[in-house]
Amino acid sequence: MEKIKVLEKILSANDRIAENLRRELKEKRILLVNIMGSPGCGKTSVIERTIKEMKDLKFGVIEGDIETTMDSERLSSLGIPVSQINTGPFGGDCHLESAWVSGAFEKLNSEGLNIVFIENIGNLVCPAEFDTGAHVNVVVLSTPEGEDKPLKYPLMFRTSHVMLINKIDLAVYLDVRVEKMKENARKINPGLVVFEISAKTGEGFSAWEEFLRDRWKNL
Ligand code: MG
Ligand code: ZN
């Protein structure tokens, strides 16, 4: 019982900080976009390609990783501000909490930015349990992961506003049925916005980018 009470306290504190961050960024006209998904689904590649293509907007990234700064270094090379959270010192946590995101945002040189991506820790479970303060939650699901994942990890698909089906160029080599993948995801969340993309070839990116631009304009 005690354990449940403590967890409830942590979650409500997390929600409060998340709500404040969301409001603060809205006032600053900065759209905060939380990118979630399994290790290897292509989170960093999606962020990289989006930033490279949307030259009319200014981006920053809050990069979450248990260990290493490899993804941060890769994204910093685009000449954008990146703020790193390593959860290793927090016990190797496999998700990001709003207080850490808020702290990382303060360290980010955010003057004049339009969109800030959060690259969450790679997993389909607990990142969905913690509100980061983002305006838009995105789950990246790549075709090799299979069509059953929305049914196996429903909370992730329920808390996401957008599903990016990445590595769509590989679908022809796999047994995966992309239509079934969408159907399963919409069973969990009928309002989910879905884009089929390939961060490698650029397929489908214009629709995703239009969606982002629209959300930023209407923030
Ligand atoms: Mg990454
Ligand atoms: Zn976790």
Side-chain angles (χ1 to χ4, degrees):
M1 281 309 280
E2 269 312 300
K3 223 176 175 179
I4 294 171
K5 269 188 202 152
V6 171
L7 186 64
E8 271 172 7
K9 248 189 205 163
I10 292 170
L11 284 176
S12 69
N14 186 75
D15 284 353
R16 210 174 45 245
I17 295 166
E19 221 30 82
N20 287 339
L21 182 63
R22 195 155 30 240
R23 195 178 332 109
E24 181 196 331
L25 266 66
K26 184 178 159 77
E27 282 162 11
K28 290 186 171 166
R29 304 272 313 125
I30 297 174
L31 183 73
L32 189 59
V33 181
N34 179 28
I35 306 284
M36 299 178 283
S38 306
C41 69
K43 295 182 292 302
T44 314
S45 302
V46 167
I47 292 170
E48 194 173 25
R49 183 156 205 131
T50 306
I51 293 173
K52 275 186 185 162
E53 292 193 355
M54 295 181 80
K55 295 207 184 305
D56 55 322
L57 294 182
K58 285 204 139 117
F59 289 89
V61 177
I62 293 170
E63 181 60 52
D65 255 316
I66 296 176
E67 300 287 345
T68 84
T69 54
M70 289 189 287
D71 287 354
S72 290
E73 284 157 23
R74 190 167 143 199
L75 292 167
S76 296
S77 70
L78 300 176
I80 58 155
V82 178
S83 185
Q84 168 89 25
I85 306 171
N86 272 124
T87 62
F90 302 103
D93 262 309
C94 41
H95 61 266
L96 297 180
E97 293 180 19
S98 57
W100 313 339
V101 172
S102 179
F105 178 77
E106 275 168 36
K107 282 192 231 143
L108 194 71
N109 183 7
S110 63
E111 192 63 39
L113 295 184
N114 307 120
I115 297 179
V116 172
F117 283 119
I118 301 166
E119 182 175 345
N120 215 309
I121 312 288
N123 96 61
L124 287 174
V125 186
C126 41
E129 293 167 10
F130 290 83
D131 187 348
T132 57
H135 302 102
V136 185
N137 287 328
V138 178
V139 57
V140 180
L141 182 63
S142 60
T143 52
E145 291 172 79
E147 63 212 33
D148 56 344
K149 294 306 169 291
L151 302 178
K152 285 190 165 181
Y153 304 96
L155 187 64
M156 174 57 74
F157 294 83
R158 202 171 294 131
T159 55
S160 292
H161 306 101
V162 177
M163 171 167 76
L164 298 177
I165 302 180
N166 191 29
K167 307 188 189 180
I168 197 70
D169 53 315
L170 295 184
V172 291
Y173 305 107
L174 304 167
D175 287 332
V176 69
R177 292 167 295 174
V178 175
E179 281 313 308
K180 193 76 187 162
M181 198 178 236
K182 281 197 242 181
E183 194 188 306
N184 286 343
R186 285 190 170 131
K187 236 180 247 170
I188 303 296
N189 180 358
L192 198 64
V193 179
V194 181
F195 298 104
E196 294 173 23
I197 61 164
S198 167
K200 188 176 170 73
T201 66
E203 184 180 340
F205 263 67
S206 55
W208 151 243
E209 288 166 7
E210 198 182 306
F211 169 89
L212 263 188
R213 190 176 283 106
D214 193 62
R215 286 301 298 260
W216 170 69
K217 274 186 192 158
N218 294 303
L219 184 61

